Amino acid sequence: MEDLVALCKRRGFIFQSSEIYGGIQGLYDYGPLGVELKNNLKKSWWSSMVYERDDVEGLDASILTHSDVLKYSGHEDTFTDPLVDCKSCGLRFRQDQIPDYCKDEDLTEPRDFNLMFKTNVGPIDDGSNYAYLRPETAQQIFINFKNITDSTSQTLPFGIAQIGKAFRNEITPRNFIFRVREFEQMELEFFVQPGTDEDWHKTWVKERTQWWIDQGIPENKLKIINIDGDDLSHYSKATVDIMYMFPHGIEELEGIANRTDFDLGSHTKNQGDLDITADIIKNDSSTAKLAIQDLDTKKWIVPYVIEPSAGVDRGVLAILNEAYSEETLSDGKKRIVLSFKPHLAPIKAAVIPLKKNNTELVSMAKNIKNNLQTLGVGRVVVENTGNIGKSYRKHDEIGTPICITVDFDSLEKNIVTIRNRDTMEQTKMNIDMIEDFFVDYYK
Ligand code: ATP
């Protein structure tokens, strides 16, 4: 973990937030390479969840959430962690995360601590106009259910996907970006006919596990576990967690829950004509019936929902951890390499003029960059340092799959050198072939 944290700072992936003022615990900023990696991961999720299917629609809803939404969702009452104080050192911990040095000390009885951030909305601060920073993106999906069914032609089964920030006032944020107070989630709410939910749950566990493997996480580093009994969230009938061997231990990367009709039922105005199975709070505040009409029977049903919910930041940490390696080369030198899958690499290609500031070489390198940049694959850079060896080492360390070197042969014969990050092999290529090669590589 220390090596990863150091590399992330050195190369501009991830920084402690508000660092120059001493930092705030549990908050991180993504730098020039981190933002690319994170965007690529989100793009890959969006592509597999929305673009490659016809039964999922996207959404980007507000972060500030009406307090009633989180009242009826059950979060005001139950979104808590058990908090204990160590009477000896005065520190506070989540009951299941007490560090060894306090375990034998005098601890207070656990009490519920609500993890939601509350904030005032509008200019009058008398405590009555508050909203929450959403603790999960899911609730906004549920409350937009009617808007989406009314404005699209989706029928069951279908899903709504959203990527966005979520906030939890974690008692003990820790392990770098694993447990933070502001993070991003990639959530799908997949609505199904009650009765078909258990099969769909199994299908989504399989789909999501395969997706993580496709992002470069080996299957043997993943573990699928069933959450049961007291560990289930208040809305869940069954939850399966995809666990990953993080540098600090095996922990949750994604949770896939069967939320039944709990949420749609809870947000629906109680109208008496709906058969809701979940044990929900009777709702008088809502104005909506979050149900869908069966076109054959004309009956209104409140669908069940399967929710694959993945953390972007935990995904980034897992991917960095898998990609990172230190190799000793045949000449005894050490090389650090991030072997990202090509679609996740922050920089898709670096074009390197052999000599720094040589007008002709630099101009040719810029032309190549500009051409490749227009192809829409991702970021391409010109590396004008004049030190090829150092540039290769840097791009190994930030995971750039391809380096393209422009030398005097390029000016005379139109030939560049392509260097592969993983094999370190160098091959000559005619400049006219680069675009096809590049597009092919990232297909
Ligand atoms: P944990 O048990 O680790 O606290 P959780 O079960 O509360 O997690 P969920 O409510 O299932 O998490 O949230 C879905 C996903 O959101 C998690 O699988 C995780 O990837 C991500 N996530 C949740 N809390 C955090 C956090 N504090 N920091 C970073 N990611 C988080």
Side-chain angles (χ1 to χ4, degrees):
M1 184 73 110
E2 274 134 46
D3 291 339
L4 271 185
V5 175
L7 179 127
C8 282
K9 179 166 160 91
R10 186 170 71 243
R11 291 299 189 187
F13 281 90
I14 301 164
F15 311 120
Q16 170 75 58
S17 191
S18 303
E19 190 181 16
I20 64 165
Y21 285 102
I24 308 188
Q25 230 199 336
L27 299 179
Y28 287 91
D29 297 339
Y30 287 77
L33 297 178
V35 63
E36 299 295 337
L37 174 59
K38 201 179 185 199
N39 282 344
N40 291 341
L41 186 67
K42 292 192 281 184
K43 210 163 110 192
S44 171
W45 186 91
W46 196 261
S47 188
S48 92
M49 286 304 202
V50 184
Y51 296 166
E52 290 163 29
R53 311 179 61 101
D54 284 321
D55 55 359
V56 174
E57 305 288 346
L59 178 73
D60 181 16
S62 68
I63 286 171
L64 287 176
T65 306
H66 194 299
S67 56
D68 275 354
V69 172
L70 292 152
K71 172 180 166 189
Y72 286 100
S73 69
H75 284 80
E76 274 194 344
D77 287 337
T78 56
F79 198 63
T80 57
D81 273 341
L83 173 78
V84 295
D85 295 59
C86 171
K87 290 187 192 165
S88 162
C89 68
L91 293 177
R92 294 177 157 179
F93 306 103
R94 206 168 108 169
Q95 192 187 14
D96 60 348
Q97 294 172 358
I98 302 168
D100 287 342
Y101 56 85
C102 286
K103 273 194 176 131
D104 299 327
E105 301 292 338
D106 192 7
L107 302 167
T108 60
E109 283 301 306
R111 58 193 187 283
D112 286 341
F113 173 74
N114 196 298
L115 299 181
M116 289 197 293
F117 284 99
K118 208 175 191 179
T119 191
N120 191 61
V121 178
I124 299 163
D125 188 5
D126 64 359
S128 63
N129 299 311
Y130 64 91
Y132 292 107
L133 272 69
R134 61 187 182 198
E136 58 176 16
T137 71
Q139 291 307 320
Q140 300 283 10
I141 296 182
F142 298 129
I143 59 175
N144 273 294
F145 180 82
K146 187 167 156 40
N147 287 333
I148 289 173
T149 49
D150 284 354
S151 58
T152 66
S153 49
Q154 294 290 355
T155 53
L156 295 183
F158 81 98
I160 303 174
Q162 180 169 224
I163 300 177
K165 290 263 176 157
F167 301 81
R168 296 182 188 180
N169 198 2
E170 295 280 354
I171 298 169
T172 31
R174 57 186 184 168
N175 296 321
F176 195 31
I177 52 171
F178 176 82
R179 184 175 303 286
V180 284
R181 291 187 168 129
E182 173 176 341
F183 54 98
E184 272 188 279
Q185 291 184 313
M186 307 182 279
E187 295 196 302
L188 171 73
E189 304 302 323
F190 196 77
F191 302 99
V192 303
Q193 285 276 0
T196 64
D197 49 307
E198 289 178 13
D199 282 346
W200 273 111
H201 196 191
K202 289 193 193 108
T203 303
W204 277 112
V205 172
K206 267 199 218 131
E207 293 255 338
R208 295 303 306 146
T209 308
Q210 186 56 49
W211 185 82
W212 282 112
I213 295 169
D214 295 343
Q215 308 316 304
I217 312 283
E219 200 168 359
N220 64 4
K221 294 276 203 75
L222 295 171
K223 196 171 164 198
I224 311 296
I225 62 155
N226 281 303
I227 306 294
D228 39 34
D230 288 348
D231 290 336
L232 277 179
S233 305
H234 61 278
Y235 49 71
S236 179
K237 166 177 159 184
T239 295
V240 172
D241 280 352
I242 302 179
M243 313 282 280
Y244 167 72
M245 200 98 72
F246 284 97
H248 61 277
I250 184 146
E251 289 219 56
E252 176 180 338
L253 175 62
E254 169 161 356
I256 300 145
N258 181 346
R259 294 180 78 130
T260 70
D261 54 1
F262 181 87
D263 300 274
L264 290 184
S266 305
H267 292 306
T268 290
K269 174 128 189 117
N270 197 313
Q271 302 177 351
D273 62 338
L274 289 175
D275 185 16
I276 300 166
T277 60
D279 185 16
I280 57 158
I281 313 155
K282 197 169 165 199
N283 197 325
D284 301 318
S285 301
S286 172
T287 55
K289 177 173 171 176
L290 302 181
I292 193 162
Q293 198 171 22
D294 184 311
L295 296 178
D296 297 328
T297 64
K298 300 283 180 256
K299 221 182 130 213
W300 286 88
I301 41 176
V302 181
Y304 269 34
V305 66
I306 306 300
E307 174 196 72
S309 170
V312 177
D313 311 77
R314 288 187 190 179
V316 166
L317 181 57
I319 281 156
L320 279 167
N321 185 43
E322 280 312 320
Y324 184 94
S325 66
E326 287 179 21
E327 295 170 3
T328 308
L329 304 176
S330 52
D331 61 4
K333 284 195 182 134
K334 205 177 85 173
R335 118 169 154 134
I336 293 177
V337 56
L338 286 179
S339 311
F340 294 124
K341 289 263 179 180
H343 71 284
L344 295 176
I347 309 287
K348 302 302 180 196
V351 193
I352 312 170
L354 182 69
K355 269 197 142 97
K356 188 176 176 177
N357 298 338
N358 175 294
T359 319
E360 281 174 289
L361 291 177
V362 173
S363 141
M364 184 174 244
K366 281 188 177 162
N367 277 340
I368 294 174
K369 177 230 147 98
N370 290 343
N371 285 341
L372 297 183
Q373 197 61 70
T374 58
L375 301 172
V377 172
R379 187 164 183 205
V380 178
V381 296
V382 172
E383 193 64 68
N384 191 11
T385 57
N387 185 333
I388 303 288
K390 208 167 156 200
S391 297
Y392 286 163
R393 273 199 302 284
K394 168 182 169 184
H395 283 279
D396 284 345
E397 206 173 306
I398 65 175
T400 308
I402 298 167
C403 287
I404 302 167
T405 301
V406 178
D407 57 20
F408 294 103
D409 260 4
S410 315
L411 299 178
E412 282 165 28
K413 300 186 200 145
N414 249 12
I415 296 222
V416 293
T417 305
I418 308 275
R419 190 240 189 205
N420 179 297
R421 174 195 70 197
D422 300 326
T423 61
M424 293 189 284
E425 253 170 38
Q426 301 186 20
T427 44
K428 300 276 180 194
M429 187 177 290
N430 193 293
I431 291 184
D432 300 339
M433 315 273 291
I434 301 178
E435 281 187 26
D436 284 350
F437 163 78
F438 185 71
V439 169
D440 231 43
Y441 190 89
Y442 286 103
K443 229 192 320 220

